[in-house]
Amino acid sequence: MAFKERVFSGVQPSGNLHLGNYLGAIVNFVALQERYDCIYCVVDLHAITIWQDPAELPRATREVTAAFIACGIDPKKHIIFNQSQVAEHAELAWIFNCVARVGWLNRMTQFKEKAGKDRENASVGLYVYPNLMAADILVYRATHVPVGEDQKQHLELSRDIAQKFNNDFAASIHAHGYGDAFFPQPEPLIQGPATRVMSLRDGSKKMSKSEPSDYSRINLTDDADAIAQKIRKARTDPEALPSEEKGLEPRPEADNLVGIYAALAGQTKAQVLREFGGGQFSNFKIALVDLAVAKLGPIGNEMKRLVQDPVYINGVLADGATRARVLAAETMNAVKDIVGFVR
Ligand code: TRP
């Protein structure tokens, strides 16, 4: 059976959005609107797998929503909503808790990283997080999922869950007239202009909201002064920029800044080096500040304007949730029939 092409992705409302989220994910979300029907979700159910202050969570949810809109996602043509408003996500996740195997979840590297040494004390939600992620995608029978590199393993698990559901319930799926497969095999789209934006303080670590130093990242709401200061202070080495990309290989910090420039300018790293290779790092940084301020400044300003209008943002989320619920309910009703629940 051919599945209707549909894009789904999610961003957690936990902490500030930064340049890594923008170049690694959101830019891609924006581009995909031209070719697909898209559903973009603020995944608040995922966020609470780690403690979130209830006084902060609504603000964070609206900030991600504002970022989606400020970056150019159209909430009328596509769907933007927050996960907790569509109960079918949690409902399908329960079914998937009964499809996925403990052994599969035990292999998830992100759980091991996030739970750290004190695994006994991690929430159960953090452990079954990938099952909820599979439900997010499959409750819309989405076919394409733009994600960062770090989510690839979770997406593979989603595919395994879809396949096991299709196999385990094959007879029932067939009997209910859904053909050979009820769920598609969702495909990751890992392209983005820069799939790995690294910390400005350490070129071997990813830019992250959990890094203590704010100088390690550029937040989407940073003003021009903050952007300029952070780029000026970004760690570099004493050498001039190379003229060839190969020259960046042993220099992670230089590679990262050239990569950021390239992604923001819509160029390749080779093109950037043709312009700046052989020149002083300080001159390149001045050009990078100008570019970053020109590209990110308007987004940050628009985000700040939007978050001051919570009534508007809440309205966007409520409208998106209403439209998402229609699609999700259709899947969930079919799943209930397939599994054998009386309704
Ligand atoms: N786990 C993703 C992250 O932390 C967020 C997410 C939740 C997601 N559900 C999703 C991404 C479904 C893609 C599809 O980045």
Side-chain angles (χ1 to χ4, degrees):
M1 183 171 128
F3 290 91
K4 181 181 160 20
E5 293 199 321
R6 181 176 281 153
V7 164
F8 181 94
S9 197
V11 172
Q12 290 198 43
S14 50
N16 292 334
L17 286 175
H18 53 69
L19 187 63
N21 303 115
Y22 178 65
L23 293 176
I26 302 176
V27 170
N28 220 1
F29 294 5
V30 175
L32 289 164
Q33 296 181 103
E34 301 296 320
R35 280 215 288 144
Y36 298 97
D37 288 337
C38 302
I39 304 175
Y40 296 126
C41 185
V42 187
V43 289
D44 47 11
L45 297 177
H46 276 94
I48 64 159
T49 56
I50 289 171
W51 172 254
Q52 301 297 324
D53 182 348
E56 264 298 301
L57 188 55
R59 190 204 58 80
T61 299
R62 282 192 282 268
E63 189 176 282
V64 175
T65 311
F68 282 168
I69 300 168
C71 292
I73 295 169
D74 182 340
K76 293 221 159 69
K77 289 204 188 109
H78 301 273
I79 294 178
I80 297 178
F81 74 108
N82 60 312
Q83 193 181 21
S84 60
Q85 292 208 53
V86 179
E88 283 80 358
H89 289 247
E91 212 178 348
L92 184 59
W94 178 259
I95 310 269
F96 287 173
N97 283 344
C98 304
V99 173
R101 306 288 93 183
V102 170
W104 298 0
L105 289 171
N106 283 344
R107 285 197 284 275
M108 296 295 116
T109 55
Q110 193 172 75
F111 174 74
K112 292 178 200 169
E113 278 164 24
K114 286 200 181 177
K117 287 197 178 65
D118 194 10
R119 203 177 292 184
E120 293 282 305
N121 199 34
S123 76
V124 176
L126 188 66
Y127 183 66
V128 291
Y129 174 121
N131 295 346
L132 177 59
M133 182 163 159
D136 297 339
I137 299 163
L138 294 170
V139 85
Y140 303 103
R141 282 175 280 177
T143 52
H144 296 81
V145 183
V147 280
E149 202 107 42
D150 60 325
Q151 296 299 312
K152 222 173 136 184
Q153 193 185 34
H154 289 162
L155 215 71
E156 273 155 26
L157 187 90
S158 299
R159 296 164 66 88
D160 290 343
I161 289 175
Q163 185 158 27
K164 183 159 162 57
F165 183 96
N166 288 341
N167 287 343
D168 289 355
F169 295 101
S172 186
I173 289 169
H174 195 77
H176 284 92
Y178 294 108
D180 298 329
F182 181 70
F183 287 120
Q185 291 273 293
E187 279 186 41
L189 298 174
I190 303 180
Q191 51 234 170
T195 48
R196 281 174 76 75
V197 177
M198 311 309 281
S199 158
L200 299 180
R201 310 247 79 184
D202 177 351
S204 68
K205 277 202 213 146
K206 266 185 69 173
M207 187 176 283
S208 152
K209 61 189 158 206
S210 47
E211 173 75 33
S213 169
D214 201 49
Y215 275 94
S216 69
R217 66 187 154 256
I218 295 174
N219 302 305
L220 288 185
T221 47
D222 281 346
D223 60 21
D225 280 349
I227 296 174
Q229 262 199 41
K230 288 175 178 180
I231 292 176
R232 255 185 254 124
K233 289 203 175 180
R235 185 165 151 192
T236 47
D237 53 51
E239 277 162 58
L241 275 175
S243 317
E244 307 272 317
E245 232 181 302
K246 243 179 96 62
L248 291 173
E249 268 167 32
R251 301 171 60 187
E253 282 85 15
D255 185 36
N256 187 38
L257 293 181
V258 171
I260 290 172
Y261 189 103
L264 287 173
Q267 295 179 355
T268 62
K269 286 190 208 171
Q271 283 172 315
V272 177
L273 292 178
R274 231 169 282 146
E275 193 178 339
F276 294 98
Q280 283 307 312
F281 230 116
S282 51
N283 288 338
F284 171 67
K285 277 189 171 179
I286 292 169
L288 181 56
V289 167
D290 287 346
L291 177 65
V293 168
K295 293 277 174 184
L296 303 176
I299 293 174
N301 289 340
E302 181 64 359
M303 278 176 69
K304 282 179 211 149
R305 191 185 70 78
L306 288 167
V307 292
Q308 275 164 23
D309 191 352
V311 174
Y312 168 73
I313 301 277
N314 292 358
V316 166
L317 292 172
D319 172 63
T322 301
R323 287 151 59 213
R325 226 176 272 128
V326 174
L327 303 169
E330 199 186 317
T331 301
M332 210 50 227
N333 282 337
V335 165
K336 286 181 181 171
D337 290 342
I338 290 166
V339 172
F341 291 157
V342 174
R343 65 178 179 99

mmCIF file of all heavy atoms in Angstrom, residues 289-330:
data_model
loop_
_atom_site.group_PDB
_atom_site.id
_atom_site.type_symbol
_atom_site.label_atom_id
_atom_site.label_comp_id
_atom_site.label_asym_id
_atom_site.label_seq_id
_atom_site.Cartn_x
_atom_site.Cartn_y
_atom_site.Cartn_z
ATOM 1 N N VAL A 289 30.232 37.803 12.228
ATOM 2 C CA VAL A 289 29.332 38.585 13.106
ATOM 3 C C VAL A 289 28.285 39.293 12.249
ATOM 4 O O VAL A 289 27.079 39.219 12.531
ATOM 5 C CB VAL A 289 30.120 39.625 13.941
ATOM 6 C CG1 VAL A 289 29.169 40.634 14.594
ATOM 7 C CG2 VAL A 289 30.959 38.927 15.012
ATOM 8 N N ASP A 290 28.728 39.959 11.188
ATOM 9 C CA ASP A 290 27.782 40.695 10.333
ATOM 10 C C ASP A 290 26.718 39.761 9.763
ATOM 11 O O ASP A 290 25.527 40.070 9.779
ATOM 12 C CB ASP A 290 28.523 41.369 9.154
ATOM 13 C CG ASP A 290 29.324 42.572 9.630
ATOM 14 O OD1 ASP A 290 29.090 43.010 10.777
ATOM 15 O OD2 ASP A 290 30.190 43.037 8.868
ATOM 16 N N LEU A 291 27.179 38.618 9.278
ATOM 17 C CA LEU A 291 26.245 37.665 8.672
ATOM 18 C C LEU A 291 25.262 37.119 9.710
ATOM 19 O O LEU A 291 24.047 37.062 9.477
ATOM 20 C CB LEU A 291 27.031 36.511 8.026
ATOM 21 C CG LEU A 291 26.199 35.392 7.402
ATOM 22 C CD1 LEU A 291 25.389 35.899 6.219
ATOM 23 C CD2 LEU A 291 27.111 34.237 6.952
ATOM 24 N N ALA A 292 25.795 36.718 10.874
ATOM 25 C CA ALA A 292 24.940 36.113 11.908
ATOM 26 C C ALA A 292 23.912 37.127 12.403
ATOM 27 O O ALA A 292 22.737 36.794 12.591
ATOM 28 C CB ALA A 292 25.799 35.594 13.061
ATOM 29 N N VAL A 293 24.347 38.364 12.588
ATOM 30 C CA VAL A 293 23.409 39.391 13.063
ATOM 31 C C VAL A 293 22.333 39.655 11.999
ATOM 32 O O VAL A 293 21.145 39.772 12.310
ATOM 33 C CB VAL A 293 24.162 40.696 13.438
ATOM 34 C CG1 VAL A 293 23.193 41.855 13.651
ATOM 35 C CG2 VAL A 293 25.004 40.466 14.699
ATOM 36 N N ALA A 294 22.757 39.680 10.734
ATOM 37 C CA ALA A 294 21.785 39.939 9.656
ATOM 38 C C ALA A 294 20.759 38.816 9.545
ATOM 39 O O ALA A 294 19.570 39.067 9.314
ATOM 40 C CB ALA A 294 22.521 40.118 8.326
ATOM 41 N N LYS A 295 21.201 37.568 9.732
ATOM 42 C CA LYS A 295 20.277 36.430 9.564
ATOM 43 C C LYS A 295 19.464 36.155 10.818
ATOM 44 O O LYS A 295 18.280 35.815 10.742
ATOM 45 C CB LYS A 295 21.067 35.151 9.221
ATOM 46 C CG LYS A 295 21.736 35.192 7.874
ATOM 47 C CD LYS A 295 20.759 34.800 6.778
ATOM 48 C CE LYS A 295 21.410 34.999 5.415
ATOM 49 N NZ LYS A 295 20.533 34.749 4.307
ATOM 50 N N LEU A 296 20.113 36.227 11.984
ATOM 51 C CA LEU A 296 19.435 35.805 13.218
ATOM 52 C C LEU A 296 18.728 36.954 13.924
ATOM 53 O O LEU A 296 17.749 36.732 14.639
ATOM 54 C CB LEU A 296 20.434 35.157 14.181
ATOM 55 C CG LEU A 296 21.188 33.949 13.620
ATOM 56 C CD1 LEU A 296 22.216 33.452 14.624
ATOM 57 C CD2 LEU A 296 20.223 32.819 13.252
ATOM 58 N N GLY A 297 19.220 38.174 13.710
ATOM 59 C CA GLY A 297 18.612 39.335 14.373
ATOM 60 C C GLY A 297 17.112 39.427 14.130
ATOM 61 O O GLY A 297 16.323 39.490 15.083
ATOM 62 N N PRO A 298 16.678 39.405 12.871
ATOM 63 C CA PRO A 298 15.242 39.518 12.602
ATOM 64 C C PRO A 298 14.432 38.365 13.198
ATOM 65 O O PRO A 298 13.305 38.573 13.652
ATOM 66 C CB PRO A 298 15.169 39.474 11.064
ATOM 67 C CG PRO A 298 16.533 39.846 10.586
ATOM 68 C CD PRO A 298 17.491 39.393 11.645
ATOM 69 N N ILE A 299 15.018 37.170 13.238
ATOM 70 C CA ILE A 299 14.301 36.024 13.815
ATOM 71 C C ILE A 299 14.110 36.238 15.318
ATOM 72 O O ILE A 299 13.013 36.082 15.852
ATOM 73 C CB ILE A 299 15.065 34.707 13.547
ATOM 74 C CG1 ILE A 299 15.051 34.392 12.049
ATOM 75 C CG2 ILE A 299 14.472 33.549 14.350
ATOM 76 C CD1 ILE A 299 15.888 33.189 11.654
ATOM 77 N N GLY A 300 15.184 36.642 15.969
ATOM 78 C CA GLY A 300 15.111 36.891 17.415
ATOM 79 C C GLY A 300 14.100 37.981 17.742
ATOM 80 O O GLY A 300 13.321 37.855 18.694
ATOM 81 N N ASN A 301 14.116 39.042 16.946
ATOM 82 C CA ASN A 301 13.178 40.149 17.195
ATOM 83 C C ASN A 301 11.739 39.692 17.026
ATOM 84 O O ASN A 301 10.860 40.040 17.829
ATOM 85 C CB ASN A 301 13.452 41.312 16.237
ATOM 86 C CG ASN A 301 14.747 42.016 16.595
ATOM 87 O OD1 ASN A 301 15.231 41.905 17.722
ATOM 88 N ND2 ASN A 301 15.315 42.728 15.628
ATOM 89 N N GLU A 302 11.506 38.922 15.975
ATOM 90 C CA GLU A 302 10.146 38.433 15.731
ATOM 91 C C GLU A 302 9.712 37.470 16.848
ATOM 92 O O GLU A 302 8.565 37.523 17.303
ATOM 93 C CB GLU A 302 10.082 37.747 14.357
ATOM 94 C CG GLU A 302 8.724 37.206 13.947
ATOM 95 C CD GLU A 302 7.636 38.268 13.760
ATOM 96 O OE1 GLU A 302 7.897 39.467 13.958
ATOM 97 O OE2 GLU A 302 6.497 37.865 13.420
ATOM 98 N N MET A 303 10.637 36.635 17.310
ATOM 99 C CA MET A 303 10.302 35.737 18.425
ATOM 100 C C MET A 303 9.913 36.533 19.660
ATOM 101 O O MET A 303 8.923 36.214 20.333
ATOM 102 C CB MET A 303 11.502 34.843 18.776
ATOM 103 C CG MET A 303 11.645 33.638 17.886
ATOM 104 S SD MET A 303 13.142 32.714 18.283
ATOM 105 C CE MET A 303 12.724 32.037 19.891
ATOM 106 N N LYS A 304 10.691 37.569 19.946
ATOM 107 C CA LYS A 304 10.396 38.371 21.142
ATOM 108 C C LYS A 304 9.044 39.061 21.012
ATOM 109 O O LYS A 304 8.288 39.178 21.971
ATOM 110 C CB LYS A 304 11.506 39.403 21.370
ATOM 111 C CG LYS A 304 12.731 38.784 21.990
ATOM 112 C CD LYS A 304 13.835 39.825 22.175
ATOM 113 C CE LYS A 304 15.190 39.156 22.047
ATOM 114 N NZ LYS A 304 16.215 40.038 21.494
ATOM 115 N N ARG A 305 8.741 39.516 19.794
ATOM 116 C CA ARG A 305 7.443 40.158 19.573
ATOM 117 C C ARG A 305 6.314 39.140 19.786
ATOM 118 O O ARG A 305 5.331 39.420 20.480
ATOM 119 C CB ARG A 305 7.373 40.716 18.144
ATOM 120 C CG ARG A 305 6.195 41.632 17.877
ATOM 121 C CD ARG A 305 6.137 42.049 16.411
ATOM 122 N NE ARG A 305 5.761 40.966 15.511
ATOM 123 C CZ ARG A 305 4.508 40.527 15.333
ATOM 124 N NH1 ARG A 305 3.516 41.079 15.986
ATOM 125 N NH2 ARG A 305 4.260 39.523 14.505
ATOM 126 N N LEU A 306 6.489 37.950 19.230
ATOM 127 C CA LEU A 306 5.427 36.937 19.311
ATOM 128 C C LEU A 306 5.184 36.446 20.739
ATOM 129 O O LEU A 306 4.035 36.260 21.139
ATOM 130 C CB LEU A 306 5.760 35.744 18.407
ATOM 131 C CG LEU A 306 5.640 35.995 16.896
ATOM 132 C CD1 LEU A 306 6.294 34.859 16.111
ATOM 133 C CD2 LEU A 306 4.174 36.142 16.483
ATOM 134 N N VAL A 307 6.254 36.240 21.514
ATOM 135 C CA VAL A 307 6.035 35.700 22.869
ATOM 136 C C VAL A 307 5.342 36.720 23.772
ATOM 137 O O VAL A 307 4.793 36.360 24.804
ATOM 138 C CB VAL A 307 7.318 35.174 23.567
ATOM 139 C CG1 VAL A 307 7.841 33.940 22.867
ATOM 140 C CG2 VAL A 307 8.387 36.238 23.659
ATOM 141 N N GLN A 308 5.366 37.976 23.339
ATOM 142 C CA GLN A 308 4.624 38.969 24.122
ATOM 143 C C GLN A 308 3.133 38.937 23.832
ATOM 144 O O GLN A 308 2.361 39.694 24.419
ATOM 145 C CB GLN A 308 5.182 40.373 23.847
ATOM 146 C CG GLN A 308 6.371 40.653 24.731
ATOM 147 C CD GLN A 308 7.197 41.829 24.264
ATOM 148 O OE1 GLN A 308 6.698 42.698 23.552
ATOM 149 N NE2 GLN A 308 8.446 41.847 24.653
ATOM 150 N N ASP A 309 2.743 38.078 22.926
ATOM 151 C CA ASP A 309 1.332 37.951 22.577
ATOM 152 C C ASP A 309 0.887 36.493 22.801
ATOM 153 O O ASP A 309 0.613 35.761 21.858
ATOM 154 C CB ASP A 309 1.145 38.359 21.110
ATOM 155 C CG ASP A 309 -0.325 38.515 20.726
ATOM 156 O OD1 ASP A 309 -1.196 38.161 21.545
ATOM 157 O OD2 ASP A 309 -0.586 38.975 19.601
ATOM 158 N N PRO A 310 0.825 36.081 24.084
ATOM 159 C CA PRO A 310 0.504 34.677 24.369
ATOM 160 C C PRO A 310 -0.878 34.275 23.863
ATOM 161 O O PRO A 310 -1.093 33.092 23.535
ATOM 162 C CB PRO A 310 0.582 34.581 25.902
ATOM 163 C CG PRO A 310 0.597 35.973 26.408
ATOM 164 C CD PRO A 310 1.123 36.848 25.317
ATOM 165 N N VAL A 311 -1.772 35.228 23.768
ATOM 166 C CA VAL A 311 -3.123 34.894 23.294
ATOM 167 C C VAL A 311 -3.049 34.416 21.834
ATOM 168 O O VAL A 311 -3.666 33.421 21.454
ATOM 169 C CB VAL A 311 -4.079 36.105 23.441
ATOM 170 C CG1 VAL A 311 -5.437 35.798 22.806
ATOM 171 C CG2 VAL A 311 -4.240 36.468 24.908
ATOM 172 N N TYR A 312 -2.248 35.111 21.049
ATOM 173 C CA TYR A 312 -2.070 34.702 19.653
ATOM 174 C C TYR A 312 -1.422 33.314 19.566
ATOM 175 O O TYR A 312 -1.891 32.426 18.859
ATOM 176 C CB TYR A 312 -1.229 35.737 18.888
ATOM 177 C CG TYR A 312 -0.781 35.219 17.533
ATOM 178 C CD1 TYR A 312 -1.690 35.091 16.482
ATOM 179 C CD2 TYR A 312 0.542 34.829 17.315
ATOM 180 C CE1 TYR A 312 -1.286 34.578 15.244
ATOM 181 C CE2 TYR A 312 0.952 34.324 16.093
ATOM 182 C CZ TYR A 312 0.035 34.205 15.062
ATOM 183 O OH TYR A 312 0.433 33.697 13.854
ATOM 184 N N ILE A 313 -0.335 33.133 20.326
ATOM 185 C CA ILE A 313 0.382 31.842 20.285
ATOM 186 C C ILE A 313 -0.527 30.714 20.750
ATOM 187 O O ILE A 313 -0.581 29.641 20.129
ATOM 188 C CB ILE A 313 1.647 31.892 21.179
ATOM 189 C CG1 ILE A 313 2.593 32.990 20.713
ATOM 190 C CG2 ILE A 313 2.340 30.527 21.214
ATOM 191 C CD1 ILE A 313 3.499 32.641 19.584
ATOM 192 N N ASN A 314 -1.240 30.925 21.848
ATOM 193 C CA ASN A 314 -2.168 29.890 22.329
ATOM 194 C C ASN A 314 -3.197 29.551 21.258
ATOM 195 O O ASN A 314 -3.581 28.387 21.103
ATOM 196 C CB ASN A 314 -2.903 30.349 23.594
ATOM 197 C CG ASN A 314 -1.981 30.462 24.792
ATOM 198 O OD1 ASN A 314 -0.794 30.164 24.707
ATOM 199 N ND2 ASN A 314 -2.521 30.913 25.914
ATOM 200 N N GLY A 315 -3.628 30.565 20.521
ATOM 201 C CA GLY A 315 -4.600 30.350 19.453
ATOM 202 C C GLY A 315 -4.030 29.494 18.330
ATOM 203 O O GLY A 315 -4.708 28.594 17.816
ATOM 204 N N VAL A 316 -2.775 29.759 17.966
ATOM 205 C CA VAL A 316 -2.116 28.948 16.932
ATOM 206 C C VAL A 316 -2.057 27.486 17.387
ATOM 207 O O VAL A 316 -2.372 26.557 16.628
ATOM 208 C CB VAL A 316 -0.687 29.467 16.649
ATOM 209 C CG1 VAL A 316 0.121 28.456 15.850
ATOM 210 C CG2 VAL A 316 -0.738 30.812 15.927
ATOM 211 N N LEU A 317 -1.673 27.277 18.650
ATOM 212 C CA LEU A 317 -1.529 25.902 19.164
ATOM 213 C C LEU A 317 -2.881 25.194 19.251
ATOM 214 O O LEU A 317 -2.986 24.001 18.928
ATOM 215 C CB LEU A 317 -0.845 25.921 20.539
ATOM 216 C CG LEU A 317 0.627 26.368 20.522
ATOM 217 C CD1 LEU A 317 1.162 26.536 21.941
ATOM 218 C CD2 LEU A 317 1.485 25.369 19.748
ATOM 219 N N ALA A 318 -3.902 25.928 19.663
ATOM 220 C CA ALA A 318 -5.233 25.319 19.793
ATOM 221 C C ALA A 318 -5.771 24.936 18.417
ATOM 222 O O ALA A 318 -6.323 23.840 18.222
ATOM 223 C CB ALA A 318 -6.188 26.283 20.492
ATOM 224 N N ASP A 319 -5.578 25.834 17.443
ATOM 225 C CA ASP A 319 -6.035 25.545 16.081
ATOM 226 C C ASP A 319 -5.276 24.348 15.497
ATOM 227 O O ASP A 319 -5.873 23.447 14.901
ATOM 228 C CB ASP A 319 -5.809 26.793 15.208
ATOM 229 C CG ASP A 319 -6.082 26.511 13.744
ATOM 230 O OD1 ASP A 319 -7.236 26.185 13.413
ATOM 231 O OD2 ASP A 319 -5.126 26.580 12.934
ATOM 232 N N GLY A 320 -3.958 24.333 15.709
ATOM 233 C CA GLY A 320 -3.156 23.210 15.214
ATOM 234 C C GLY A 320 -3.598 21.901 15.858
ATOM 235 O O GLY A 320 -3.720 20.870 15.192
ATOM 236 N N ALA A 321 -3.853 21.945 17.168
ATOM 237 C CA ALA A 321 -4.247 20.733 17.890
ATOM 238 C C ALA A 321 -5.585 20.209 17.376
ATOM 239 O O ALA A 321 -5.766 18.994 17.227
ATOM 240 C CB ALA A 321 -4.315 21.013 19.391
ATOM 241 N N THR A 322 -6.492 21.114 17.077
ATOM 242 C CA THR A 322 -7.805 20.694 16.570
ATOM 243 C C THR A 322 -7.633 19.940 15.249
ATOM 244 O O THR A 322 -8.252 18.886 15.031
ATOM 245 C CB THR A 322 -8.709 21.929 16.350
ATOM 246 O OG1 THR A 322 -8.828 22.605 17.597
ATOM 247 C CG2 THR A 322 -10.088 21.542 15.858
ATOM 248 N N ARG A 323 -6.783 20.479 14.390
ATOM 249 C CA ARG A 323 -6.584 19.828 13.083
ATOM 250 C C ARG A 323 -5.782 18.529 13.230
ATOM 251 O O ARG A 323 -6.040 17.542 12.540
ATOM 252 C CB ARG A 323 -5.908 20.804 12.123
ATOM 253 C CG ARG A 323 -6.891 21.898 11.659
ATOM 254 C CD ARG A 323 -6.180 23.208 11.326
ATOM 255 N NE ARG A 323 -5.198 23.052 10.289
ATOM 256 C CZ ARG A 323 -4.053 23.742 10.209
ATOM 257 N NH1 ARG A 323 -3.757 24.652 11.119
ATOM 258 N NH2 ARG A 323 -3.222 23.532 9.221
ATOM 259 N N ALA A 324 -4.809 18.514 14.136
ATOM 260 C CA ALA A 324 -4.004 17.301 14.350
ATOM 261 C C ALA A 324 -4.884 16.182 14.913
ATOM 262 O O ALA A 324 -4.752 15.012 14.536
ATOM 263 C CB ALA A 324 -2.848 17.594 15.309
ATOM 264 N N ARG A 325 -5.780 16.549 15.827
ATOM 265 C CA ARG A 325 -6.641 15.566 16.503
ATOM 266 C C ARG A 325 -7.491 14.780 15.497
ATOM 267 O O ARG A 325 -7.719 13.584 15.674
ATOM 268 C CB ARG A 325 -7.550 16.299 17.487
ATOM 269 C CG ARG A 325 -7.633 15.653 18.835
ATOM 270 C CD ARG A 325 -8.471 16.511 19.782
ATOM 271 N NE ARG A 325 -7.710 17.521 20.493
ATOM 272 C CZ ARG A 325 -8.014 18.836 20.536
ATOM 273 N NH1 ARG A 325 -9.063 19.308 19.896
ATOM 274 N NH2 ARG A 325 -7.267 19.657 21.225
ATOM 275 N N VAL A 326 -7.944 15.448 14.452
ATOM 276 C CA VAL A 326 -8.765 14.767 13.443
ATOM 277 C C VAL A 326 -7.969 13.626 12.803
ATOM 278 O O VAL A 326 -8.456 12.501 12.675
ATOM 279 C CB VAL A 326 -9.224 15.777 12.354
ATOM 280 C CG1 VAL A 326 -9.944 15.061 11.221
ATOM 281 C CG2 VAL A 326 -10.105 16.860 12.974
ATOM 282 N N LEU A 327 -6.717 13.931 12.451
ATOM 283 C CA LEU A 327 -5.869 12.920 11.810
ATOM 284 C C LEU A 327 -5.511 11.810 12.792
ATOM 285 O O LEU A 327 -5.535 10.622 12.462
ATOM 286 C CB LEU A 327 -4.586 13.574 11.286
ATOM 287 C CG LEU A 327 -4.765 14.730 10.293
ATOM 288 C CD1 LEU A 327 -3.447 15.461 10.069
ATOM 289 C CD2 LEU A 327 -5.314 14.197 8.968
ATOM 290 N N ALA A 328 -5.181 12.218 14.015
ATOM 291 C CA ALA A 328 -4.736 11.241 15.018
ATOM 292 C C ALA A 328 -5.885 10.311 15.416
ATOM 293 O O ALA A 328 -5.681 9.104 15.615
ATOM 294 C CB ALA A 328 -4.191 11.964 16.243
ATOM 295 N N ALA A 329 -7.087 10.859 15.508
ATOM 296 C CA ALA A 329 -8.239 10.049 15.929
ATOM 297 C C ALA A 329 -8.548 8.983 14.882
ATOM 298 O O ALA A 329 -8.906 7.845 15.224
ATOM 299 C CB ALA A 329 -9.455 10.940 16.161
ATOM 300 N N GLU A 330 -8.363 9.352 13.638
ATOM 301 C CA GLU A 330 -8.611 8.386 12.564
ATOM 302 C C GLU A 330 -7.677 7.177 12.711
ATOM 303 O O GLU A 330 -8.109 6.021 12.640
ATOM 304 C CB GLU A 330 -8.372 9.087 11.226
ATOM 305 C CG GLU A 330 -8.994 8.407 10.032
ATOM 306 C CD GLU A 330 -8.563 9.095 8.739
ATOM 307 O OE1 GLU A 330 -8.542 10.353 8.703
ATOM 308 O OE2 GLU A 330 -8.222 8.380 7.790
#
